């Protein structure tokens, strides 16, 4: 709890209209997109930063007074990563939302953290370039949040995640010092890659205030091959067949029957609801390669047992199928008061066991689950609809969740691929990560943030 004189001090550092302290104003910053039974704590103040100097001033002050500082973009996080555990100051980046520089020859763009991902993508696409990371919420989520979690999305299969597009970061350290990490060049073999350490660190090591990103040429053409299967296992063998065919699609995404029927119920778009699973395979590249890629993918899918194949090739058709897939979380949320979207990854060779196992575990506990995922990566999102206020359902959910994580780890996988650990998976973190590695992580945290003011209580306890 911040003292009144602390709040008064912040108001002398930052324009007072940029400091929110009314309870009603702070209330929504105690939530993000994570449904939890445990209510998060209210921040003591929300500060809208406008400049790097604003961030430096707040951190210097907070570090001296040992006040927690939690950076926040659009609040779309699903593991409680951008909400306070125990009060403190929220740094709101929505006013630092400029594209600062664009260089088409170097294929780079420099941005402030509050830039919305969808806007960034549109901007670079209008110049014939492409920024691939595409989390489902990209219409609202920001690049700062994306860097904090190293977000992925369907296109990670071919193009990687946020970490693969970071050329340099300008960050403010816990004590207010400014630091630039990464040379900004396409290659950089000079010293430790601190930028890669900060990407995905969930705001626990430093606060990102500028990022220089790598871009790639925008693929000339794309098509989405939708394939329906009578069993989940056939769909997964479809994934393996595509990989064996040596076509490299931009996405190999998945929806199970519950997810298809739930989406179709709330956002009708013509998906076939009598099939157990569907793959969304987007091929991209030169227009002249489309037909060959499509034929190879269709052959691979048919050999795996695909019973229906539909190809979306116009912009409108492609938009419609991706809107359906991206609506899965919102549609599942209509089934019950709460929905929790999990995030598990295993090596592809064990994917069929993971998908079936996760479904069986949820069925055993009577939990409705809509399964989607980026199966090309081995990554699935069991989206569980329930009422967290119901003790029985909550208990079942906790048991199902830990069984799914145990299964993932036993299959050579891990407990998050792209959503992060936040506070939601903290109790599973040390069971999953090598003990020696955990102790190095603690050492790194201590070095960056000796007073533990940066997003405390996330990833692991200090
Ligand atoms: C997705 O792939 O749709 C996102 O990661 C969000 C979710 O898990 O629901
Ligand atoms: Zn995802």
């Amino acid at each position: 709890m911040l003292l009144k004189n602390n709040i008064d001090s912040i108001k002398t550092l930052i324009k007072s209209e940029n400091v929110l302290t009314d309870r009603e104003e702070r209330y929504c910053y105690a939530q993000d997109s994570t449904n939890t039974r445990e209510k998060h704590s209210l921040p003591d103040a929300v500060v809208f930063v406008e400049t790097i100097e604003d961030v430096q001033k707040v951190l210097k002050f907070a570090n001296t007074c040992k006040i927690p500082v939690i950076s926040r973009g659009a609040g779309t996080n699903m593991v409680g990563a951008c909400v306070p555990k125990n009060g403190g100051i929220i740094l709101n980046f929505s006013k630092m939302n400029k594209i600062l520089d664009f260089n088409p020859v170097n294929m780079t763009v420099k941005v402030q953290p509050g830039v919305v991902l969808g806007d960034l993508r549109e901007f670079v696409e209008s110049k014939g370039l492409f920024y691939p990371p595409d989390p489902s919420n990209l219409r609202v989520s920001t690049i700062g949040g994306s860097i904090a979690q190293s977000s992925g999305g369907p296109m990670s299969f071919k193009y990687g995640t946020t970490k693969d597009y970071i050329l340099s970061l300008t960050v403010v350290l816990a004590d207010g010092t400014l630091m630039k990490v990464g040379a900004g060049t396409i290659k950089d073999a000079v010293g430790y890659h601190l930028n890669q350490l900060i990407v995905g660190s969930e705001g626990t090591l430093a606060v990102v205030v500028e990022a220089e990103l790598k871009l790639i040429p925008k693929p000339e053409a794309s098509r989405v091959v939708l394939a329906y299967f009578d069993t989940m296992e056939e769909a997964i063998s479809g994934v393996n067949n595509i990989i064996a065919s040596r076509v490299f699609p931009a996405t190999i995404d998945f929806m199970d029957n519950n997810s298809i029927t739930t989406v179709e119920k709330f956002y009708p778009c013509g998906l076939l609801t009598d099939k157990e699973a569907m793959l969304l395979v987007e091929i991209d590249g030169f227009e002249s390669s489309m037909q060959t890629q499509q034929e190879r993918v269709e052959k691979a899918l048919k050999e795996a047992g695909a019973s229906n194949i539909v190809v979306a090739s116009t912009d409108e058709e492609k938009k419609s199928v991706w809107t359906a897939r991206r609506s899965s979380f919102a549609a599942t949320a209509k089934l019950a008061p709460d929905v929790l979207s999990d995030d598990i990854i295993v090596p592809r060779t064990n994917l069929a066991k993971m998908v079936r196992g996760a479904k069986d575990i949820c069925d055993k506990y009577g939990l409705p689950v809509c399964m989607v995922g980026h199966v090309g990566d081995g990554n699935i999102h069991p989206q569980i609809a329930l009422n967290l206020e119901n003790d029985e359902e909550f208990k079942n959910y906790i048991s199902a969740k830990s069984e799914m994580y145990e299964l993932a780890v036993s299959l050579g996988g891990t407990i998050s691929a792209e959503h992060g650990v936040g506070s939601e998976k903290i109790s599973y973190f040390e069971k999953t990560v090598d003990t020696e590695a955990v102790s190095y992580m603690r050492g790194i945290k201590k070095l960056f943030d000796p007073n533990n003011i940066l997003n405390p209580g996330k990833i692991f306890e200090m």
Side-chain angles (χ1 to χ4, degrees):
M1 179 73 187
L2 248 72
L3 301 173
K4 184 177 173 315
N5 65 337
N6 289 148
I7 305 269
D8 293 342
S9 304
I10 296 170
K11 286 185 175 163
T12 64
L13 301 172
I14 302 292
K15 282 184 205 159
S16 63
E17 71 263 28
N18 282 340
V19 183
L20 308 183
T21 51
D22 287 351
R23 192 181 160 77
E24 301 73 33
E25 290 173 323
R26 290 181 283 127
Y27 189 75
C28 64
Y29 295 91
Q31 337 283 327
D32 59 10
S33 301
T34 321
N35 284 312
T36 55
R37 179 146 134 147
E38 226 180 280
K39 295 293 166 242
H40 296 291
S41 110
L42 263 188
D44 299 293
V46 178
V47 177
F48 286 72
V49 282
E50 290 187 358
T51 60
I52 293 178
E53 292 70 33
D54 280 353
V55 179
Q56 289 183 278
K57 283 186 219 163
V58 174
L59 281 171
K60 195 167 176 210
F61 169 76
N63 194 48
T64 310
C65 305
K66 299 193 173 47
I67 299 165
V69 176
I70 302 100
S71 301
R72 182 170 172 119
T76 54
N77 182 266
M78 293 181 143
V79 288
C82 56
V83 287
K85 282 283 272 191
N86 194 18
I89 302 167
I90 294 276
L91 283 187
N92 182 318
F93 280 93
S94 56
K95 292 190 177 181
M96 285 180 73
N97 62 351
K98 314 260 172 328
I99 293 177
L100 299 171
D101 191 30
F102 167 69
N103 189 318
V105 176
N106 294 337
M107 294 201 291
T108 57
V109 65
K110 193 186 222 181
V111 293
Q112 291 186 313
V115 170
V116 171
L117 269 182
D119 296 345
L120 171 65
R121 278 185 136 218
E122 257 169 40
F123 171 79
V124 301
E125 284 182 38
S126 74
K127 313 279 183 193
L129 292 173
F130 193 45
Y131 180 73
D134 59 341
S136 282
N137 48 32
L138 60 83
R139 284 272 134 233
V140 282
S141 59
T142 62
I143 185 69
S146 205
I147 292 170
Q149 307 305 123
S150 194
S151 301
M155 289 202 158
S156 302
F157 176 64
K158 181 172 184 176
Y159 295 109
T161 62
T162 305
K163 69 177 186 331
D164 301 305
Y165 294 87
I166 303 296
L167 298 178
S168 80
L169 295 175
T170 304
V171 301
V172 178
L173 297 171
D175 66 359
T177 306
L178 198 63
M179 176 168 88
K180 183 169 175 199
V181 286
T185 46
I186 293 299
K187 295 196 279 184
D188 172 7
V190 185
Y192 299 148
H193 289 185
L194 296 181
N195 50 357
Q196 291 297 317
L197 188 58
I198 290 166
V199 178
S201 65
E202 306 193 14
T204 63
L205 297 182
V207 175
V208 175
V209 288
E210 278 178 15
E212 216 173 339
L213 308 171
K214 179 173 109 171
L215 305 172
I216 61 170
K218 181 170 152 47
E220 187 184 278
S222 67
R223 292 181 192 173
V224 184
V225 181
L226 286 188
Y228 294 89
F229 296 86
D230 292 326
T231 69
M232 286 208 259
E233 285 72 11
E234 284 177 349
I236 304 304
S237 66
V239 176
N240 297 333
N241 283 3
I242 292 170
I243 287 161
S245 79
R246 300 293 177 247
V247 177
F248 200 168
T251 76
I252 311 184
D253 247 57
F254 167 88
M255 290 171 80
D256 76 349
N257 177 269
N258 276 354
S259 181
I260 297 169
T261 48
T262 305
V263 166
E264 201 47 42
K265 181 167 170 199
F266 296 109
Y267 308 106
C269 55
L271 301 179
L272 303 183
T273 52
D274 61 341
K275 303 291 170 188
E276 195 177 76
M278 178 180 88
L279 293 181
L280 295 92
V281 183
E282 177 160 328
I283 48 172
D284 67 355
F286 291 115
E287 181 63 59
S288 55
S289 74
M290 284 299 108
Q291 201 51 32
T292 313
Q293 289 198 59
Q294 182 183 325
E295 281 164 16
R296 284 214 209 168
V297 166
E298 285 191 24
K299 182 168 179 283
L301 294 166
K302 278 184 192 144
E303 282 173 6
S307 51
N308 297 72
I309 293 183
V310 182
V311 179
S313 46
T314 67
D315 284 347
E316 204 183 323
E317 287 164 352
K318 286 183 282 186
K319 192 169 170 218
S320 162
V321 295
W322 280 116
T323 303
R325 161 62 185 88
R326 292 185 191 286
S327 305
S328 169
F329 180 73
T332 311
K334 289 180 183 276
L335 296 178
D338 302 295
V339 59
L340 292 122
S341 179
D342 219 304
D343 176 37
I344 292 166
I345 185 160
V346 294
R348 265 194 305 267
T349 38
N350 281 334
L351 185 60
K353 283 186 195 147
M354 187 68 237
V355 176
R356 180 60 66 192
K359 172 101 179 96
D360 288 348
I361 291 168
C362 291
D363 287 351
K364 180 173 94 182
Y365 287 102
L367 295 165
V369 61
C370 293
M371 199 101 69
V372 295
H374 318 301
V375 282
D377 299 328
N379 180 195
I380 56 162
H381 299 306
Q383 297 172 327
I384 298 174
L386 78 170
N387 178 2
L388 284 169
E389 298 302 322
N390 178 312
D391 291 342
E392 188 65 20
E393 287 184 32
F394 179 68
K395 211 172 107 226
N396 284 337
Y397 166 68
I398 297 296
S399 305
K401 177 162 137 161
S402 66
E403 281 183 33
M404 284 195 289
Y405 294 168
E406 272 167 34
L407 180 62
V409 172
S410 76
L411 293 173
T414 193
I415 62 172
S416 178
E418 52 178 24
H419 294 176
V421 176
S423 52
E424 278 301 289
K425 297 194 175 184
I426 198 164
S427 59
Y428 305 93
F429 173 78
E430 298 204 18
K431 291 182 201 148
T432 312
V433 179
D434 178 87
T435 316
E436 204 57 35
V438 172
S439 101
Y440 267 75
M441 289 189 205
R442 284 214 165 84
I444 290 166
K445 167 74 175 167
K446 243 192 155 63
L447 179 69
F448 271 86
D449 181 19
N451 292 326
N452 192 23
I453 63 155
L454 295 176
N455 209 6
K458 309 297 164 61
I459 307 179
F460 47 78
E461 296 289 357
M462 283 301 284

